[in-house]
Every structure is written in structure tokens, then in C-alpha cells.
Amino acid sequence: MRLEISLGRLRNEFVAKITELSGQDINLCYQCGKCSAGCPMSFIMDLLPNQVIRSVQLGLAEDITSSRTPWLCASCLVCTVRCPKGIDIASVMEAVRQIALRRSEDFIDPAGLERDTVAELPPIALVCGFRKLTG
Ligand code: SF4
Ligand code: SF4
């Protein structure tokens, strides 16, 4: 019983943090799937945008924070524009990234990049990558 209460509190804290950081009412989502249907990055995501939203509704913090989807999100806002409930899904993705980055869980390790790879990349890509994917 005590464990259930504790897990419930943790789930609520995660949902509350996502809500606070994104400013979005996740519970408005009714899973129409329009966000995922328009997402240009969905083909490489392990969770579709609507699945991320549903996972937040359910407080499945582990599923979301272990997913690559928030990091692969290009912040293009297509999902946000398409959502019939006015949910800014891109902000939810950003909130998930912020939670990880505040825990010092960077998605890329600049020091671990191959020199040849770095030499081939445009400087602006590196700057954007470091700003978005490292804390
Ligand atoms: S903002 Fe991210 S999740 Fe939304 S459509 Fe663009 S890439 Fe997909
Ligand atoms: S478009 Fe909006 S309402 Fe539809 S599944 Fe995506 S977040 Fe939910």
C-alpha cells in the first residue's frame, strides 16, 4: 500500500513538472493522432508524439525519459499547429529534454565525437546540437 502511494506521488510529480515546464494541459489530448501523422521525424522515433503525450497522461516517466523521441524532435512545430486541442506538443518535448538535462543526462557527449565527424559537420550544426542536447 505504501509503495503504491509512493509510486503514485512520483507519477504525479513527473506530470506536474511536465505541465509546469511546458505550460500545457496534457489531459486535453484525446489521441486523435494528427500530431504523429504530420511529424517529419516520426520515421526514426521509438515513441510517436501522440504516444509521448499519452505516456505523460499516464505518468510513465521511465518510458518517456528512456525514449529517443524527445531528442530526435526537430522542434518544427508541425504537431503543435495540427493539434485540434491546441496542445503545444513541441513544448512538451522540450520539457522532457529539460528534465533530463537538469539531471545532467546529456544526449550527446561532445568529447566523445570522432574528429573526422566533427570536421565534416557544419559549425552551426554543432552549436545547435550542443545547445539543444547538452546541459
Ligand atoms: S515539433 Fe517535434 S514532434 Fe512535433 S512535428 Fe516537429 S519533429 Fe515532430
Ligand atoms: S494532435 Fe493533439 S489531441 Fe491529437 S493526439 Fe496529438 S496531442 Fe493529442
Side-chain angles (χ1 to χ4, degrees):
M1 185 66 170
R2 188 177 299 161
L3 179 64
E4 280 175 23
I5 292 169
S6 171
L7 285 175
R9 205 189 72 229
L10 273 177
R11 272 197 286 273
N12 289 340
E13 283 175 4
F14 179 75
V15 174
K17 198 67 188 170
I18 293 283
T19 303
E20 177 195 336
L21 289 172
S22 69
Q24 303 305 303
D25 183 355
I26 306 298
N27 290 321
L28 291 175
C29 171
Y30 59 175
Q31 288 294 298
C32 68
K34 283 192 73 175
C35 49
S36 299
C39 175
M41 302 301 284
S42 63
F43 72 105
I44 49 172
M45 289 174 167
D46 50 8
L47 281 181
L48 295 173
N50 70 294
Q51 293 174 319
V52 169
I53 300 296
R54 185 65 179 141
S55 298
V56 175
Q57 287 176 333
L58 296 173
L60 302 176
E62 275 303 310
D63 286 11
I64 301 165
T65 52
S66 63
S67 167
R68 292 166 57 85
T69 291
W71 305 100
L72 298 175
C73 165
S75 306
C76 67
L77 304 181
V78 168
C79 53
T80 297
V81 170
R82 288 171 62 93
C83 178
K85 301 300 286 185
I87 301 171
D88 184 352
I89 300 129
S91 287
V92 175
M93 297 290 185
E94 171 65 12
V96 176
R97 290 194 296 270
Q98 283 302 315
I99 288 173
L101 293 174
R102 289 177 185 187
R103 293 183 192 149
S104 299
E105 295 170 6
D106 294 348
F107 188 65
I108 57 172
D109 171 19
L113 293 174
E114 298 287 338
R115 287 178 70 91
D116 291 348
T117 304
V118 173
E120 285 179 11
L121 290 172
I124 190 69
L126 290 169
V127 171
C128 290
F130 294 160
R131 287 186 65 186
K132 184 173 177 180
L133 307 175
T134 64

